[in-house]
Amino acid sequence: MKNSIKQYIEKHGFERFCPKAVLFDMDGVIYDSMPNHSCSWSQAMADFGLEMPPSGAYEYEGMRGVETIQKLARKQWGREVSEEEAQKMYAHKSELFAACKPAELMPGIQQLMEQIKACGLNICIVTGSAQHVLLDKLESDLQGLVSKDLMVTAFDVKHGKPAPEPYLKGMEKCGVHPWEAMVVENAPLGVRAAVAAQCFTIAVNTGPLPDEMLANEGANLIFPRMTALSDAWYSIMECLK
């Protein structure tokens, strides 16, 4: 871990790394919601004549839904889809998602956030989601740990992940610089966005994609599950001393 931190500092030419905030992705990190997303994406796109295999939800995860649809249409239909048309298609996907069994919190996430708060760090949610069914649950499920004023969603950005804008906005809301922020992600595009924002990026591989995809995007540390990161949290903080 110390070596990963040293490499991060040297890569970006920072004088130090002293985190004051942890920026969390939501789907597949806070909630075990990716299976629901996978099913609803696949069905919704099929209803409009587009193909998205179940694995596609993980590959495009983090990108704004409208941008995902526009990219699929460009690739499969060979034409541009307007924002309005894509919004209509995404609304159908959202309806299917809302009909799924509610996603549970990821095992270990609450304990991890409690540890982060105990260390005096802020927590910010940075998600490409526009799913009200999950966004509305955050404050009640993680009472005292997350707040709406420290959330960045699909409604707040013009360019979603893999662009760095979501994480830049998250740091702005927290009032921190890149060397004062950590990101917890599970998706390749999310890792790419965090790395582009120059944040120290921890990947937790809660999906079916190989670790290599996360490493290739520049993740500084990779854990196999959220409980493993929670178990290692105080060791990470010790390495900063």
Side-chain angles (χ1 to χ4, degrees):
M1 290 181 192
K2 275 193 174 181
N3 192 45
S4 296
I5 292 169
K6 182 182 177 184
Q7 288 175 348
Y8 164 77
I9 293 171
E10 290 175 351
K11 175 184 176 181
H12 295 290
F14 296 147
E15 292 183 7
R16 62 193 184 282
F17 175 49
C18 47
K20 296 179 180 178
V22 181
L23 284 56
F24 282 89
D25 178 39
M26 183 175 69
D27 292 300
V29 172
I30 296 175
Y31 286 110
D32 189 12
S33 50
M34 285 309 297
N36 289 352
H37 279 293
S38 181
C39 292
S40 56
W41 266 117
S42 186
Q43 180 60 56
M45 293 304 97
D47 290 344
F48 285 100
L50 285 171
E51 284 185 38
M52 183 188 269
S55 62
Y58 295 88
E59 292 174 27
Y60 290 107
E61 184 188 351
M63 188 179 290
R64 287 174 62 240
V66 166
E67 291 182 77
T68 299
I69 291 166
Q70 289 173 325
K71 188 168 185 176
L72 285 174
R74 200 176 297 124
K75 185 177 181 181
Q76 296 180 30
W77 291 346
R79 69 174 177 87
E80 294 297 322
V81 169
S82 69
E83 183 90 6
E84 185 179 1
E85 186 179 355
Q87 285 285 8
K88 184 178 178 181
M89 295 166 72
Y90 186 68
H92 179 49
K93 183 265 174 185
S94 297
E95 289 173 1
L96 294 175
F97 180 84
C100 294
K101 182 181 177 182
E104 299 291 330
L105 287 170
M106 274 287 182
I109 187 64
Q110 186 161 347
Q111 180 183 355
L112 173 60
M113 286 188 172
E114 287 170 352
Q115 291 170 322
I116 290 168
K117 285 286 190 179
C119 290
L121 279 64
N122 283 325
I123 291 172
C124 182
I125 310 303
V126 180
T127 174
S129 179
Q131 305 285 173
H132 290 286
V133 68
L134 282 185
L135 295 173
D136 292 344
K137 276 167 59 69
L138 276 168
E139 279 192 304
S140 59
D141 286 351
L142 295 164
Q143 196 168 10
L145 296 171
V146 303
S147 60
K148 283 187 178 177
D149 60 322
L150 288 181
M151 289 186 195
V152 178
T153 73
F155 304 110
D156 300 312
V157 298
K158 290 184 178 179
H159 305 288
K161 304 171 189 176
E165 183 183 348
Y167 283 113
L168 293 173
K169 199 164 284 279
M171 285 189 284
E172 183 182 333
K173 285 197 173 191
C174 291
V176 298
H177 300 286
W179 59 87
E180 297 171 323
M182 283 184 180
V183 167
V184 180
E185 265 285 354
N186 72 307
L189 296 185
V191 170
R192 189 189 304 175
V195 170
Q198 297 188 305
C199 297
F200 186 86
T201 307
I202 300 173
V204 183
N205 195 357
T206 59
L209 303 178
D211 283 358
E212 185 180 9
M213 290 184 72
L214 299 166
N216 289 344
E217 294 292 354
N220 300 104
L221 293 172
I222 301 176
F223 290 88
R225 55 194 170 276
M226 198 58 61
T227 51
L229 174 54
S230 178
D231 290 342
W233 174 254
Y234 286 120
S235 296
I236 294 172
M237 295 306 289
E238 275 295 315
C239 291
L240 299 175
K241 294 180 179 178

